[in-house]
Structures are given as C-alpha cells and as structure tokens.
Amino acid sequence: MFPFASLVALCLAATLVAAGPCDIYASGGTPCVAAHSTTRALFSAFSGSLYQVKRGSDGATTNIAPLSAGGVANAAAQDSFCSGTTCLITTIFDQSGRGNHLTAAPPGGAASGPNPGGVDDTAAADGAPVTLNGQKAYGVFVSPGTGYRNDATNGIAVGDAAEGMYAVLDGTHFNGGCCFDYGNGETSARDTGNGHMEAIYFGNSGVWGTGSGSGPWIMADLENGLFSGFNVKNNPADPTITNRFITAVVKGQPNNWSIRGGNAASGSLSTFYSGARPNASGYNPMHKEGAIILGIGGDNSISAQGTFYEGVMTSGFPSEATENSVQANIVAARYATTSMTSGPAISVGSHVSLRATTACCTTRFIAHTGSAVNTQVVSSSSASALKLQASWNVVAGLGNSACVSFESRDTPGSFLRHANFVLLVNANDNSKQFKEDATFCPKVGLNGQGNSIRAWGYPTRSFRHFNNSLFVASNGGPNTFDAASSYNDDVSFVVSTAFA
C-alpha cells in the first residue's frame, strides 16, 4: 500500500509547483515587480520567453520559453539552435510583465567591460547545466567581466520603500571579488553614496562585513559596504554556507532589514539577521534608486564570479511565512547537478596527447617548453623529451571534480592553466585561483571532431591554437586570439593515447 505520508508529500509538491514563487508572493500581498530565471517560469501561468540566446556562427538570436506554462525551460530548443557553434545569453526577460529585462551592463564608475563601448560580457548559454525535476535547464554562469543590468525599471523600490528579493545560486561558485550581486542598484552605474543600493551579495569578500567562518556568506550590498547585520564588520550569526544550491534572501523596510538563507535543494530557510539598519551613517533612511543588477556591483565592479538560476524582487516587505512557502516551492523544483562534459570521453587516470584539427596543423600537438604552451609537430619517431612535453595525465578537476585537469607528464605537479587567457604550464600552488584556472570541461568538438576543451571558470572560452601558441579564446572578442575566423577548427582537438 502506498504510504499516506508519501501521498501527502506528492500532493503538496504538485500544489507548490502549480503555484510559482510569484503567485506565492502575490498571495502574501507583496507581488513580484521583477522575476528573472533561465531555468523555469516563476508564475504558474507564465509561458512567454525566459531568455534570449545569440549564436556565434551568424549572430542570429532565439528566445527560450518554458516547455509548458509554469514549467522548466526548453533546453532542447537551445541545444538545437546552438549546435555546432557557441551561444551567449543576451537577455534575461522579466516575467512580471513590467519589462524589467536584463541585458549586458554598460560601463560604470568602477570599471568598463571588455567589449566595444565598455559593455560587460554576457554568459555562455550552456555554462551552467542543471536539472529541475529531472528536466535539463541552464543557469547564468558569471565569470569576472560578466554582468547584466537595467537602469530604467518599472516598479522597483526607490528611497526608503519596502522591498524583498530572493535568488537561487550555486553555493560552490564564488570568489572574493566585488561584487556578485542581484538586486537594487544605482541608475547611473556610479557610486552615489551609502544606502543607494539594496542587493543580495554572495561570496567571501572580507573587505567590508563578514559572517562566521571563512565564507562564502549571504550578505547585503548597501553600497560602500557588504553588510551581514547591524555591526558593519561582523555578524557571527551569518554562517558560511556552501550547499551546491542555495536560496539567498534580503529584504528591507524603514529602519529594518533581514538576511535569510538555506539549502535550495532541501529544508527550510534560516534567519541570519533581522533588525535595525547598520550602525553607520547613510543607511537610515535608505536612498535606493531602483536599477536592477546581476553579477556586478552598483558601480559596475566586475571582479566577482557566481552562478544565478532564478530570482525575484517584490513590492513590499514579504512575511517570513510567504518566504517559507517560496522556499518550499524551490525545494519542490528539485534542482540537481548534471554532466558538465560531452563528446569523446577524456577519462580521469588516462594519459593523453591533444592534436589540432585545423587543416594547416593536423600534425601538431599541444606541448610545452618550460611554462610556455604551444603546438609542435610530434610523431612516434620524435625525441623522447618532446613526446613527454606533448603528453598529459588526466586528473579530476582541481577546481571542480565534474571536469578535468591536465598534469604535465614530464613535470609532475605542474598543470595546464590559464592566466590572462594565455595557456601556461605552472606548478600547483594549491590556491583556489590556481585550481580553478587549471580546470577544464571537455565538450564535443565544435567542428565535429574530437573535443573543444572549455575553461571551467570562463565557459565562453576554450583551448585555441593561434599562431602556434595556446590561449583560452572566445568566439569573437577583444583579443586578437579571439578572432571568429576558423574558430571552430582552432578549438577542436582530437584526443589520443599519450606519446609517453
């Protein structure tokens, strides 16, 4: 007999999925005024476009909608449209009907992006694959330099008006850069003073406020400070949180605000802070301006990283009961990981050599001379030293075990890594940065041969040979080695058993 408790749980899950997060907020009297997600609809009746992707081969765009009203994004439509090329997420549409769409952020007071006009990068469309209730979808993988923004919004809180917000994020993808935010920012992309922002922050920056442990923490970016509570420096009740999927909540009203968080895959929310505004001048009253930012600071600080799956902003200060119901809905969506790799298997424990497939260079393999990485002509009759220089041990990814790292066969303890998008062989210093820079996710080769080997931390970029030197390159971009011409061939490599 089917257990009664299980039947109740199934019925509850069906009810929660039927009522999306924004339906729940509306029923609590704090409606969504912005709703962004590349993974699913956030209203039960929403069937419009979730996001837009742009194809590298011809610049064409298409919009990705849910499979059905209130459902998961149609990842298969993206995969078909982007097959054999690269795609970027150019727009994240607002599901609230207010037109608060997010596009590439313009330059700001702190930094300009790497593209013409100082515009920020946009995310690889397939950089953050996940499943929701077993159905594939893609999140927004933000590398340093990537950011989205809307400075001309409708209905977003300004001044000291009450608002709430949540975001579902990857709790394992973070750094200490400023600032991986989602929420309310300045409309000028300039730092206009204390209290001019109210956004969720996630990361382990210790420059301003901190929580307990070494981070990462959910905090609030209120401008000129990341705050974990009333005291500007530390709130020991704000814990380090490292679940694979996290729910982050920030909300504020006159002289009162809260931080809440929890595991987005199970359980309930906890309150990490609820009380008066921080004990520093300029934050009571607040001076919010009503722009929306994602992946950047209010002044376009662009050194942070993180992954965003969904989030909303509300009118009014949501009750904890409403937020708890939203958390139950998120848990019922069943976020889960899926494979980060595709194409011919590059197995951990194997020893490989990597051959170029561009017509000019099919006898050339990725090799190194000291720290410099290039392509060299190698064959079975080559000198033993050269064959070793073109051979690599495949190990579990130093920065993410779902991908791989390549250890030099002739220099044990040294690995292929990128620095300033140049591929190098360096000794592992065990830093978080090195491990991430030395982690790569093989995909099916863009020209149909072998693999394209993508940088985990910059999924818009893959191994590319260019004038016989090796880079991690994007399909068009600011560097000479990002040239679109012959890109698919130059980033496709045939993997074979190592020469030595």
Side-chain angles (χ1 to χ4, degrees):
M1 180 179 293
F2 196 74
F4 177 74
S6 297
L7 180 62
V8 170
L10 283 173
C11 293
L12 177 60
T15 301
L16 291 170
V17 171
C22 286
D23 303 309
I24 296 168
Y25 277 114
S27 68
T30 52
C32 294
V33 290
H36 303 108
S37 177
T38 57
T39 61
R40 64 170 180 151
L42 301 177
F43 291 84
S44 62
F46 187 83
S47 60
S49 297
L50 301 174
Y51 62 103
Q52 181 181 90
V53 297
K54 182 177 182 179
R55 193 160 59 192
S57 58
D58 59 3
T61 61
T62 195
N63 293 347
I64 305 300
L67 289 163
S68 59
V72 176
N74 188 349
Q78 174 184 306
D79 291 342
S80 176
F81 181 77
C82 300
S83 179
T85 187
T86 57
C87 275
L88 301 172
I89 298 172
T90 51
T91 304
I92 305 169
F93 292 110
D94 174 21
Q95 301 177 32
S96 76
R98 290 180 172 268
N100 292 321
H101 312 312
L102 298 176
T103 56
S112 295
N115 298 294
V119 174
D120 291 355
D121 283 336
T122 51
D126 61 348
V130 291
T131 62
L132 285 74
N133 281 299
Q135 295 176 299
K136 186 179 180 181
Y138 294 104
V140 183
F141 190 106
V142 172
S143 307
T146 300
Y148 295 84
R149 191 179 198 109
N150 186 329
D151 290 328
T153 59
N154 176 6
I156 305 301
V158 296
D160 208 24
E163 67 177 350
M165 62 196 75
Y166 86 84
V168 175
L169 309 172
D170 180 344
T172 67
H173 183 205
F174 63 91
N175 67 6
C178 182
C179 291
F180 185 70
D181 291 348
Y182 173 71
N184 195 322
E186 293 97 335
T187 56
S188 62
R190 301 291 191 275
D191 178 351
T192 50
N194 295 3
H196 283 248
M197 292 180 60
E198 187 167 63
I200 293 165
Y201 165 81
F202 183 68
N204 67 339
S205 171
V207 175
W208 297 283
T210 60
S212 63
S214 58
W217 307 283
I218 300 167
M219 297 193 285
D221 190 342
L222 306 180
E223 191 52 279
N224 295 320
L226 300 173
F227 296 91
S228 57
F230 178 70
N231 294 311
V232 297
K233 286 298 183 184
N234 180 260
N235 171 18
D238 189 8
T240 291
I241 182 168
T242 57
N243 302 108
R244 176 58 178 81
F245 299 99
I246 67 165
T247 305
V249 176
V250 167
K251 58 183 176 180
Q253 61 185 347
N255 200 27
N256 180 266
W257 70 292
S258 298
I259 302 174
R260 307 187 75 205
N263 184 344
S266 66
S268 58
L269 295 175
S270 297
T271 299
F272 304 147
Y273 177 76
S274 181
R277 292 290 186 180
N279 59 349
S281 63
Y283 300 100
N284 182 35
M286 293 286 285
H287 315 280
K288 292 174 276 194
E289 298 186 24
I292 304 174
I293 55 174
L294 171 60
I296 51 175
D299 57 3
N300 199 46
S301 297
I302 54 173
S303 62
Q305 64 184 29
T307 298
F308 173 91
Y309 301 106
E310 62 178 76
V312 310
M313 300 174 68
T314 71
S315 174
F317 191 82
S319 69
E320 289 197 356
T322 295
E323 292 165 343
N324 293 343
S325 294
V326 169
Q327 166 69 357
N329 174 276
I330 294 166
V331 170
R334 291 180 59 202
Y335 274 94
T337 59
T338 191
S339 178
M340 297 282 290
T341 64
S342 63
I346 301 180
S347 301
V348 171
S350 62
H351 313 304
V352 301
S353 293
L354 305 167
R355 179 177 63 81
T357 64
T358 311
C360 65
C361 309
T362 56
T363 60
R364 303 185 73 90
F365 290 77
I366 295 177
H368 78 102
T369 304
S371 63
V373 181
N374 48 34
T375 63
Q376 298 189 45
V377 175
V378 189
S379 70
S380 59
S381 60
S382 296
S384 297
L386 177 57
K387 288 191 287 187
L388 272 173
Q389 290 166 358
S391 299
W392 311 93
N393 298 326
V394 181
V395 303
L398 299 178
N400 186 321
S401 61
C403 297
V404 299
S405 294
F406 297 94
E407 182 185 24
S408 170
R409 292 276 285 163
D410 71 341
T411 316
S414 291
F415 293 81
L416 286 172
R417 60 86 58 95
H418 63 87
N420 297 319
F421 307 137
V422 177
L423 207 59
L424 303 169
V425 169
N426 286 158
N428 180 8
D429 65 7
N430 287 314
S431 66
K432 181 175 183 291
Q433 187 68 61
F434 182 95
K435 291 176 180 179
E436 293 178 354
D437 290 349
T439 300
F440 303 95
C441 304
K443 307 287 287 185
V444 63
L446 284 181
N447 71 354
Q449 301 181 60
N451 298 90
S452 293
I453 301 172
R454 190 158 66 171
W456 173 80
Y458 288 84
T460 59
R461 295 182 170 274
S462 297
F463 282 13
R464 184 185 193 174
H465 67 92
F466 189 84
N467 293 333
N468 295 331
S469 293
L470 265 292
F471 304 90
V472 288
S474 61
N475 189 4
N479 306 293
T480 56
F481 53 80
D482 294 326
S485 177
S486 77
Y487 181 83
N488 282 13
D489 289 333
D490 293 349
V491 299
S492 299
F493 295 85
V494 170
V495 179
S496 61
T497 301
F499 283 105

